[in-house]
Amino acid sequence: MNNILLIDDDQELCALIKKSVLRENIETDCCYSGKDGLIKLKENKYQLVILDVMLPGLDGFEILEKIREEYNLPVLMFTAKNDNISKVRGLRAGADDYVTKPFEMDELTARIISLIRRYTRFNQAGNIGGKLEFDGLKIDTDSRLVTSVNGTFELPPKEFDLLVFCAGHQGKILTKRQIYEEVWKEPYVYDDSNIMAIISRVRKKIEANPGNPKYIQTIKGIGYRFNKEV
């Protein structure tokens, strides 16, 4: 059974989510503060963290930063309706997805299942085999390790998915729709902030000069292309 960690101070909402996802064979541990959530994360193994932006004490962004210092599991954030600043800030800080409050429980459940599925897929040894090697960049799809001028490290699930998808289509221009539907596994909804934020994070980790990227190039007005010259 999959197990997720929910960090939100709305106890009634936590109880509702816990009851709803249990129908999908997903167990939920609830914490009502970021501090308690971090302690729980050290004690148990989870396939996903759901994190509210508005928390007592340490806010969701501070908790996200601490999670990303140690863990590569997917993080889904709750943001307020029309709060685009929080959405972009969360994505840039390492969130894999977000849901705005109020939300439909069916939508939340679908996003949870999608994130867990991708995390599980990329952590199953031998499910995807092989290594991709370029000039100064190595991607090991078995261990999910990436080696660049900045060292050897793991990427969070969505960042890794996006990098592998682009690198696997080297030289081909990929539209934002193609990238979104492949990485998010859902219909494109014209929300480019997700894609832009994750590509920005990947560039910072694999590029010597993120402002002048060597690997993932922007094709203005269309999408992106993994440089065919590397």
Side-chain angles (χ1 to χ4, degrees), residues 20-211:
S20 297
V21 300
L22 186 59
R23 301 191 187 104
E24 301 294 335
N25 205 34
I26 299 171
E27 290 276 5
T28 306
D29 288 339
C30 297
C31 292
Y32 309 119
S33 73
K35 183 178 179 181
D36 289 342
L38 291 174
I39 293 172
K40 200 75 173 177
L41 194 55
K42 290 182 180 295
E43 296 175 344
N44 299 284
K45 181 176 176 59
Y46 298 100
Q47 285 72 52
L48 172 72
V49 173
I50 300 177
L51 178 63
D52 190 26
V53 169
M54 302 299 294
L55 289 169
L58 296 175
D59 65 26
F61 300 119
E62 293 172 296
I63 297 301
L64 177 60
E65 290 177 3
K66 293 182 179 297
I67 290 174
R68 281 292 169 247
E69 289 174 0
E70 297 187 50
Y71 306 97
N72 285 299
L73 77 170
V75 176
L76 183 151
M77 295 196 79
F78 286 154
T79 64
K81 188 176 182 180
N82 298 324
D83 186 0
N84 291 323
I85 294 176
S86 290
K87 294 173 187 176
V88 173
R89 182 180 174 187
L91 290 167
R92 290 190 181 279
D96 293 279
D97 203 355
Y98 65 84
V99 171
T100 57
K101 290 183 177 182
F103 51 80
E104 295 291 334
M105 193 59 65
D106 287 345
E107 177 191 358
L108 175 64
T109 302
R111 290 182 181 271
I112 290 171
I113 292 172
S114 177
L115 286 168
I116 291 176
R117 183 184 299 121
R118 285 196 292 278
Y119 176 72
T120 302
R121 183 175 75 242
F122 281 104
N123 278 278
Q124 289 176 337
N127 191 49
I128 298 177
K131 297 180 180 180
L132 300 172
E133 296 192 18
F134 308 94
D135 180 17
L137 177 67
K138 296 181 180 179
I139 307 168
D140 189 327
T141 55
D142 286 326
S143 65
R144 297 182 64 252
L145 289 176
V146 175
T147 301
S148 74
V149 67
N150 299 316
T152 298
F153 45 85
E154 290 185 45
L155 292 175
K158 271 217 176 69
E159 294 179 21
F160 187 79
D161 287 7
L162 186 146
L163 178 60
V164 170
F165 180 59
C166 291
H169 294 81
Q170 185 179 15
K172 180 180 179 181
I173 296 175
L174 301 170
T175 66
K176 293 175 182 177
R177 175 186 290 276
Q178 288 174 310
I179 294 172
Y180 189 92
E181 292 183 349
E182 171 64 26
V183 176
W184 275 261
K185 301 298 182 185
E186 58 188 47
Y188 181 56
V189 292
Y190 303 100
D191 185 358
D192 295 339
S193 59
N194 271 345
I195 300 171
M196 294 169 62
I198 288 182
I199 285 179
S200 176
R201 280 162 21 206
V202 170
R203 283 173 171 166
K204 289 178 181 177
K205 295 174 182 179
I206 68 172
E207 300 280 0
N209 181 5

